[in-house]
Amino acid sequence: MTGMDRPRRLRRTPAMRRLVAETSLEPRHLILPMFVADGIDEPREISSMPGVFQHSMDSMRKAAVEAVTAGVGGLMLFGVPKPEDKDARGSGASDPDGILNRGLRALAHEVGGSTVVMADTCLDEFTDHGHCGVLDDSGVVDNDATLTRYVEMALAQAETGADLLGTSGMMDGQVRAIRAGLDAAGHSDTGILAYAAKYASAFYGPFREAVGSSLQGDRRTYQQDAANRREAIRELELDLAEGADIVMVKPAMSYLDILREVADRSTVPVAAYQISGEYAMITAAAQRGWIDRKGAVLESLLGIRRAGADMVLTYWATEAAHWLS
């Protein structure tokens, strides 16, 4: 047959496919979320996320060194306080001796300069009601009172040496408030990774176990509705105007269309978070022999990159980096 287009010519050999690949996946594109828990001496596996742990301070340092040696681009740290240390204001979040700030200082000392140390700048792990902000007298999250707490938390994290602060609470004006607070305190070099489009999702379930969440109810009054697309662009534009250095879409799997639109419009780098439920589903299917684990992990990460993410937060970051090296 003459005159036929033959795209298969460019798929004929591994070398040819590598030559014409449009999207790459490299260790530097991956960020490892980590959990450091107060009051434990040994790492504690998270039952709904096999292979992921709440770390002690020592095991966190060891895992961080392994990740950096493998070439990951960054580490995102979440703190897990003791239940008795939680209160309505999330006081432990801004306490210099709170578990998250102690962990950040340890990471900055251990691997600072070799990777990007990132902090979760949100109150939910530290509040006894489990919400991402402080509540008013009627039990509703008070947006503007929460911004004051975010600034206090951000300043404490900046003092630890964290490079980027992850504003995950989805409060209106959070990036502007934190940027102003950091600059006024002389932390103009501390960057903001803004969770520009963070959706209320059923796929967060295992994460609630990972951080020992106290949440009752849901977060639908401040996290985005899964039905909405244009709203994500509005949130993106607001965060860019307020001074975000990087923007993020979360979750990744069910929101690749949003990720593509954000990437097409953003003037700063774009991240996506492959969240706990995504990890748990692939892990469970692989454990049952239903899918090839390595193939599914790498394909899922490549798909997120192809949709427009410059970097991907994934619990497989270290392992995937080893595979890719």
Side-chain angles (χ1 to χ4, degrees):
M1 297 177 67
T2 60
M4 180 186 291
D5 285 340
R6 296 189 182 272
R8 285 184 56 191
R9 292 192 189 105
L10 300 184
R11 305 173 197 150
R12 191 172 55 85
T13 66
M16 184 68 78
R17 293 192 294 273
R18 185 174 63 247
L19 176 67
V20 301
E22 299 173 27
T23 305
S24 67
L25 181 63
E26 304 168 32
R28 69 182 182 89
H29 296 138
L30 307 177
I31 297 166
L32 177 66
M34 303 180 72
F35 305 98
V36 60
D38 207 359
I40 64 173
D41 296 322
E42 299 292 335
R44 182 165 55 199
E45 189 171 36
I46 299 160
S47 65
S48 55
M49 300 175 68
V52 179
F53 297 85
Q54 291 179 342
H55 283 289
S56 67
M57 201 68 72
D58 286 341
S59 69
M60 177 198 69
R61 292 188 187 95
K62 182 178 179 181
V65 170
E66 181 186 1
V68 173
T69 302
V72 301
L75 308 171
M76 171 68 81
L77 190 63
F78 297 84
V80 186
K82 298 175 184 176
E84 60 267 27
D85 290 337
K86 298 182 180 184
D87 61 28
R89 298 182 67 254
S91 301
S94 52
D95 182 353
D97 294 320
I99 182 59
L100 179 53
N101 291 320
R102 296 202 323 266
L104 289 168
R105 281 196 299 273
L107 284 184
H109 180 267
E110 193 75 34
V111 295
S114 301
T115 195
V116 179
V117 176
M118 307 178 187
D120 176 51
T121 309
C122 193
L123 296 175
D124 56 321
E125 294 100 310
F126 300 92
T127 56
D128 55 13
H129 47 73
H131 279 288
C132 298
V134 296
L135 306 182
D136 63 19
D137 292 340
S138 64
V140 175
V141 175
D142 185 324
N143 190 96
D144 295 359
T146 297
L147 296 185
T148 299
R149 290 291 297 127
Y150 283 179
V151 173
E152 294 167 351
M153 186 179 188
L155 293 177
Q157 293 176 341
E159 290 290 340
T160 70
D163 300 301
L164 286 172
L165 309 187
T167 56
S168 62
M170 290 300 287
M171 296 297 125
D172 295 339
Q174 62 185 11
V175 173
R176 184 186 304 278
I178 290 172
R179 182 73 272 156
L182 290 172
D183 290 353
H187 294 294
S188 58
D189 288 337
T190 303
I192 294 176
L193 190 165
Y195 287 56
K198 182 179 181 181
Y199 284 83
S201 173
F203 295 102
Y204 293 140
F207 183 87
R208 305 277 163 80
E209 178 193 352
V211 297
S213 175
S214 302
L215 180 67
Q216 300 294 319
D218 60 51
R219 297 175 175 141
R220 295 184 182 277
T221 63
Y222 45 100
Q223 293 178 353
Q224 284 185 244
D225 189 331
N228 293 350
R229 177 182 58 82
R230 287 191 299 267
E231 184 181 43
I233 303 308
R234 183 184 184 192
E235 292 279 9
L236 166 69
E237 291 173 348
L238 287 169
D239 282 355
L240 292 175
E242 292 177 16
D245 298 287
I246 300 173
V247 294
M248 184 151 73
V249 174
K250 180 181 180 181
M253 177 188 70
S254 298
Y255 300 89
L256 294 178
D257 59 325
I258 305 299
L259 176 57
R260 180 71 267 166
E261 293 210 36
V262 167
D264 286 344
R265 289 167 170 79
S266 179
T267 55
V268 301
V270 176
Y273 200 143
Q274 186 181 52
I275 63 169
S276 59
E278 299 170 59
Y279 176 94
M281 287 191 299
I282 292 175
T283 298
Q287 286 177 334
R288 287 160 178 76
W290 295 341
I291 59 175
D292 173 65
R293 180 176 178 273
K294 179 179 178 181
V297 169
L298 292 177
E299 183 178 339
S300 69
L301 292 171
L302 190 64
I304 297 167
R305 285 272 297 132
R306 188 184 64 245
D310 299 294
M311 60 204 79
V312 183
L313 280 78
T314 175
Y315 299 100
W316 284 298
T318 302
E319 187 174 17
H322 284 303
W323 292 336
L324 296 167
S325 297

